[in-house]
Amino acid sequence: MAVIKRLCAAVLLLGVLSVLTYGLLAVAPGGPEQVLLGGRPSTPETRAAIREQYHLDDPFPVRYARWLGDALQGDFGTSISSREPVTTMIADRLPVTAGLAGYALVLTVVVGVPAGLIAAMRRGGRLDQGITLASLVALSIPSFALSILLLYGFAVALDWFPVFGAGDTPMDRLVHLTLPAIALAAAQAAIVVRQMRAAALDLAAQDFLTFAKARGLPRRRVWVSYALRNAALPVLTVGGLLLAANLTGSVFVEQAFGLHGLGALLIGAVGQKDIPVVQALVLLGGAIVIIVNLLIDLAYVAVDPRVRHKAAAA
Amino acid sequence: MAYAKTATVAVVLALTTACSSGGTTPQTDDSLLWAVNNPPNSLDIAHGFNNASTLIQTAVLDTMVTLDARGVPAPRLATQWTQPDPATYLFTLRKGVRFADGTPLTADDAAFSLRRHLDPKVASQAASYFTTVKQVEAVGDDQVKVTLKRPNSAFLAMSAIAWQVTPRKLAEAHPQDLGSPEVGTMGTGPFKVTKFSLTSGVVLERNESYWGRKPALRRVEFKTITDPETLRLAVRSGEVDATDGLYVRDARKWTGLPGVKTIFYPGNNIGYLSLAVKTGPLKDLHVRRAIAYAINRKAVADLMTAGHGTPAATMLPSPQLAALYGDGLPALPAYPYDVQAAKAELAKSAHPQGFELEVPYASTGDGGTVMQAVASDLAKIGIKLILQPSPVDQYRARVMQHDRLSIQYVNLAYGTPDPLEVLPDMVSRAAAEPEGFNFSGYGTAATDKQLDTLASTTGQERKEQVTALLTEIAEQVPYIPLFYTDQAVALNEKFTGTFTTWSTDGIASLRPAGR
């Protein structure tokens, strides 16, 4: 029952999202004519042909209904600027963005979780202060500035990494995506550090931790098995949201590293009033957020038995 | 944290070492990587008439005629042509030319390649070049006959840019998406396309069966880097061999790069102000002249081109002036920077004390900088501009609708050496309608007639006609020319190439340095 309810809500949400996007693009000034004419002088015949071909004189509901009809049959149309099927364009770019988002999330978790936990363990100590300060700095640097710094340092001065592009082979891609992933992960890791530290500190005063220590369990065991697991819920939430944000909003980093991902595509398409591309990307973004939230909820159940039991009791 | 980070870096380092020892393609000196700052969107000029796309088109597709160093039409796929009457051209096709897939080029292919630009279904971006073309037909095996509605002396020059020849079969099957990544294109040019992707770029390989002089490079790859600083770092690090994506305003950042040489050449463009002459204070000729005197063109040109450009005094791009007049530029009414003269003109107008005027501009790009310089110049004579920034799409839509025009900053680039590409857009009444480029609204039945006669005249008479129109524009001041911007190409010192205003074979001219 809950699943059906959730599915209906998701479909409704995507529907509203698509109407809003289509409507906002339709009322915004300018149209696809500018893109199709290439900003060049044009003849009246050409302009009339374009208006007819793209049904620009039809009222908004008719145009939207036409798009929706095609979309429901799996046809998301053809990009106005490149004349390439929208699904092909997205399929071309998704691997880059997904790779970057995944890589950044791994870095975020691998660095952020232990660092936050260590900071909590050494509360008030030098290490804690150092980690807190480092995370403050990481949080404060805008990602595009960090990108340029990383490029200067590691790609130009040290020549360890390539300056731009996404690479072709899997190995090559890992190397190409390292600097972008660090640029993207820095601020996020800082958020996770703070979240983790706060959650673990809340726990530090709990009776079960005191009892575990009193039983003489080794410190590592106390923190990893007891504290980490109990602090996992808020961190999972943040991690999931970060993943969704990475998949849809890593545009600054993509731009700085010459990566052709979904973020760059979306910005370009909005500027060019490329409605089929924008529609498909917005729906994809919406679907990603919905799916990630669902996964987070499932992860709650897996990680925390109390959630499971509560659900069963209710 | 320290431990984890060290571990990550160590792993990544191991990978880099592994890759650099064989993972990436080695750069040999017959292969070059060229970066563009905007992705090419189509390899067909009908749908990709823009810098990045046309750069690649010219390496793959041959045009019927081309332009020589002075901008004069010269043979390419057509070995010669005759004009049986002023409105008819008969082109003779080069013999033995084949498309990159081996099929022979026919007169029918050549004729269709021009005819398709007239088809509204194709909605060609080059359609405005060929509005005077009435009929195109193949005559026999090796001749193409073009009949114009009326004589048009700019026809050959425009053909040199936009009459690219593709197989009829391919173009006919894909009126809308020829040149797209899905369909690609096929030409008779020095290179052939082996890959075209919007994300991973374009790969060209030498067309071994090319009829002309074979290019020195076996392979040229194009990649897109939109961020200007990343582009510079990529060229500096040697990952990218060449680019035309540098802004001359940033030239200083490029000219000092070690191992990189920067080539500048005059661009076929002009930055200017258009003054809407139909309404408000700009209706007054004395106001327009006052504005022309008040603007310090030299300062604006220096500001916008950092020494790689020149102030403009006439409403034609400088290469077009040179192509038409050579060194014998006629004397035209001029408005040198002179605040006193500006004040004197304003005193003669209906607004001797000055006035306020709302001026929209696009908040990204050069518009803001230019308009602020203009506003500060005009403030000195009592004209207060109220600058209204708006997003570039919104601004462009508004201007193209000719909605509330006042003083607009415009910078246009042209393709041909012919003034007929420019002047009708400036002063014809047809271009003063929405979607037209006459943002001043200036134009009378008389100017329309002058434009018509200009199209059918040649030689000395033509020069006089152009001079007459330029004089009228200078006297009536619907436009104020500001500056010309150079074009620039940055090349790794391993390579060299020839880039000039009219040459369309820049890519084919690239070669290892010292050869």
Side-chain angles (χ1 to χ4, degrees):
Chain A
M1 218 33 222
V3 175
I4 296 174
K5 217 166 142 188
R6 205 151 173 161
L7 210 62
C8 291
V11 170
L12 190 71
L13 191 68
L14 290 181
V16 171
L17 207 57
S18 78
V19 177
L20 275 180
T21 318
Y22 208 104
L24 286 173
L25 278 178
V27 297
E33 291 116 308
Q34 304 301 335
V35 176
L36 290 163
L37 296 169
R40 304 189 55 81
S42 55
T43 62
E45 295 79 30
T46 314
R47 296 197 289 270
I50 284 173
R51 294 201 74 79
E52 197 201 322
Q53 192 192 340
Y54 288 88
H55 311 287
L56 295 178
D57 295 322
D58 287 353
F60 167 68
V62 177
R63 278 152 63 194
Y64 177 74
R66 188 176 286 119
W67 174 83
L68 188 66
D70 288 347
L72 288 178
Q73 291 168 22
D75 175 9
F76 284 91
T78 307
S79 158
I80 290 172
S81 75
S82 73
R83 293 160 203 261
E84 199 179 19
V86 170
T87 38
T88 317
M89 291 180 83
I90 292 181
D92 264 3
R93 291 160 189 259
L94 193 57
V96 173
T97 301
L100 177 61
Y103 197 164
L105 189 69
V106 168
L107 290 183
T108 302
V109 171
V110 167
V111 176
V113 169
L117 213 52
I118 291 168
M121 284 163 69
R122 308 271 188 218
R123 181 184 186 177
R126 282 245 176 100
L127 198 55
D128 178 24
Q129 284 174 355
I131 290 174
T132 309
L133 183 70
S135 65
L136 185 70
V137 171
L139 201 56
S140 318
I141 303 180
S143 58
F144 60 88
L146 182 60
S147 303
I148 294 292
L149 277 178
L150 289 172
L151 278 177
Y152 264 115
F154 294 98
V156 176
L158 293 174
D159 199 16
W160 288 357
F161 293 97
V163 175
F164 77 102
D168 297 323
T169 62
M171 242 358 183
D172 209 16
R173 175 147 299 183
L174 197 65
V175 176
H176 274 85
L177 289 185
T178 299
L179 289 184
I182 293 172
L184 193 58
Q188 299 175 351
I191 295 175
V192 169
V193 166
R194 304 188 127 205
Q195 194 79 32
M196 193 68 215
R197 182 175 177 273
L201 282 183
D202 274 350
L203 288 171
Q206 298 278 334
D207 290 344
F208 66 84
L209 273 194
T210 318
F211 185 60
K213 283 180 204 157
R215 278 181 14 219
L217 293 177
R219 186 143 92 168
R220 181 171 286 248
R221 172 99 194 272
V222 171
W223 281 98
V224 175
S225 310
Y226 289 71
L228 184 60
R229 189 157 185 185
N230 278 286
L233 285 196
V235 175
L236 261 180
T237 315
V238 172
L241 295 178
L242 289 179
L243 180 65
N246 283 354
L247 280 169
T248 51
S250 48
V251 57
F252 287 120
V253 171
E254 285 179 10
Q255 165 119 355
F257 288 93
L259 297 172
H260 301 283
L262 295 178
L265 180 64
L266 182 63
I267 299 293
V270 169
Q272 298 182 317
K273 299 278 173 323
D274 202 337
I275 292 181
V277 176
V278 179
Q279 284 288 77
L281 283 175
V282 166
L283 288 187
L284 178 69
I288 286 173
V289 171
I290 290 169
I291 291 169
V292 165
N293 273 309
L294 188 71
L295 290 178
I296 294 175
D297 287 356
L298 290 176
Y300 280 175
V301 177
V303 170
D304 194 335
R306 284 172 301 185
V307 179
R308 212 157 37 214
H309 295 316
K310 243 183 251 164
Chain B
M1 186 179 88
Y3 163 74
K5 224 172 195 170
T6 320
T8 326
V9 172
V11 168
V12 168
L13 278 183
L15 294 177
T16 332
T17 335
C19 285
S20 53
S21 61
T24 48
T25 22
Q27 284 284 325
T28 49
D29 63 356
D30 62 351
S31 161
L32 174 143
L33 178 59
W34 181 293
V36 287
N37 58 359
N38 279 308
N41 70 315
S42 170
L43 300 186
D44 172 21
I45 199 161
H47 303 122
F49 200 163
N50 51 59
N51 286 350
S53 304
T54 308
L55 178 77
I56 299 171
Q57 289 155 17
T58 55
V60 175
L61 306 172
D62 276 323
T63 41
M64 275 299 262
V65 293
T66 189
L67 297 171
D68 70 9
R70 291 169 302 138
V72 179
R76 192 155 174 187
L77 279 184
T79 47
Q80 55 164 323
W81 57 90
T82 55
Q83 253 178 298
D85 64 78
T88 309
Y89 291 82
L90 196 59
F91 295 91
T92 306
L93 206 59
R94 190 176 293 278
K95 286 199 172 56
V97 176
R98 289 174 179 273
F99 287 104
D101 68 348
T103 43
L105 164 75
T106 65
D108 190 42
D109 292 322
F112 186 80
S113 296
L114 175 58
R115 200 155 60 226
R116 61 190 286 267
H117 291 291
L118 314 179
D119 183 354
K121 280 202 195 68
V122 174
S124 168
Q125 291 176 3
S128 69
Y129 267 24
F130 299 121
T131 46
T132 53
V133 175
K134 189 161 93 186
Q135 206 180 13
V136 192
E137 55 197 333
V139 180
D141 288 343
D142 65 344
Q143 287 198 310
V144 178
K145 185 172 151 194
V146 179
T147 318
L148 305 182
K149 291 172 191 161
R150 52 181 185 274
N152 180 0
S153 45
F155 171 70
L156 283 177
M158 296 197 174
S159 298
I161 305 297
W163 186 357
Q164 299 172 340
V165 178
T166 51
R168 174 175 186 163
K169 215 172 137 195
L170 185 67
E172 210 163 24
H174 299 280
Q176 283 294 328
D177 56 358
L178 176 68
S180 72
E182 301 264 299
V183 178
T185 192
M186 173 71 63
T188 57
F191 288 94
K192 59 185 179 192
V193 185
T194 51
K195 190 179 92 176
F196 176 25
S197 152
L198 294 178
T199 48
S200 51
V202 182
V203 177
L204 303 184
E205 275 175 28
R206 185 163 55 203
N207 175 6
E208 298 296 347
S209 57
Y210 180 51
W211 56 269
R213 196 177 147 203
K214 298 206 177 33
L217 297 181
R218 187 183 46 82
R219 185 176 188 275
V220 180
E221 184 170 3
F222 295 84
K223 294 260 187 195
T224 309
I225 303 179
T226 39
D227 187 86
E229 191 54 21
T230 309
L231 176 61
R232 200 175 71 89
L233 292 179
V235 173
R236 177 179 163 172
S237 72
E239 267 177 71
V240 164
D241 300 308
T243 182
D244 60 345
L246 51 158
Y247 297 102
V248 290
R249 279 181 77 185
D250 296 336
R252 208 166 43 83
K253 288 191 191 170
W254 288 84
T255 44
L257 285 187
V260 176
K261 67 182 160 196
T262 328
I263 301 167
F264 294 92
Y265 59 94
N268 191 13
N269 56 44
I270 180 167
Y272 61 91
L273 296 177
S274 91
L275 312 180
V277 301
K278 294 256 174 76
T279 51
L282 298 176
K283 215 170 157 181
D284 192 319
L285 175 59
H286 294 294
V287 167
R288 302 202 296 269
R289 285 185 181 161
I291 294 175
Y293 276 123
I295 292 170
N296 186 346
R297 276 193 196 84
K298 171 88 174 59
V300 175
D302 284 347
L303 177 69
M304 301 313 296
T305 65
H308 297 283
T310 41
T314 311
M315 276 307 291
L316 282 181
S318 66
Q320 290 195 353
L321 288 171
L324 183 70
Y325 297 112
D327 293 333
L329 268 183
L332 296 169
Y335 303 87
Y337 176 53
D338 185 342
V339 179
Q340 290 315 314
K343 282 182 178 159
E345 278 289 345
L346 198 63
K348 285 191 237 166
S349 77
H351 309 270
Q353 302 308 314
F355 53 89
E356 286 190 355
L357 187 66
E358 293 182 346
V359 175
Y361 69 92
S363 49
T364 43
D366 290 344
T369 320
V370 172
M371 289 317 291
Q372 281 176 16
V374 168
S376 81
D377 279 344
L378 296 189
K380 289 175 201 155
I381 60 167
I383 298 176
K384 186 169 179 240
L385 298 187
I386 302 160
L387 297 178
Q388 297 176 319
S390 57
V392 62
D393 304 312
Q394 198 181 342
Y395 172 77
R396 195 183 300 145
R398 177 175 157 182
V399 170
M400 291 313 291
Q401 281 308 305
H402 292 223
D403 175 17
R404 288 164 291 157
L405 293 174
S406 62
I407 301 182
Q408 322 292 326
Y409 165 66
V410 189
N411 197 326
L412 290 180
Y414 295 93
T416 76
D418 202 287
L420 261 191
E421 192 187 359
V422 181
L423 292 173
D425 279 343
M426 297 275 183
V427 291
S428 78
R429 286 183 297 175
E433 301 294 319
E435 300 296 336
F437 278 67
N438 179 351
F439 304 123
S440 72
Y442 183 84
T444 57
T447 42
D448 277 0
K449 192 150 177 295
Q450 267 177 289
L451 288 168
D452 275 351
T453 8
L454 176 62
S456 56
T457 52
T458 49
Q460 184 60 30
E461 198 187 343
R462 183 173 167 80
K463 279 188 202 172
E464 282 161 18
Q465 296 269 359
V466 175
T467 310
L469 268 171
L470 290 178
T471 309
E472 180 176 338
I473 294 173
E475 274 170 359
Q476 297 296 319
V477 207
Y479 300 99
I480 299 174
L482 293 178
F483 58 90
Y484 307 123
T485 317
D486 286 348
Q487 299 282 95
V489 171
L491 268 181
N492 190 300
E493 279 177 353
K494 283 189 295 182
F495 295 96
T496 185
T498 314
F499 294 87
T500 59
T501 309
W502 306 122
S503 72
T504 51
D505 55 358
I507 295 297
S509 80
L510 289 167
R511 58 199 180 272
R515 256 197 248 171

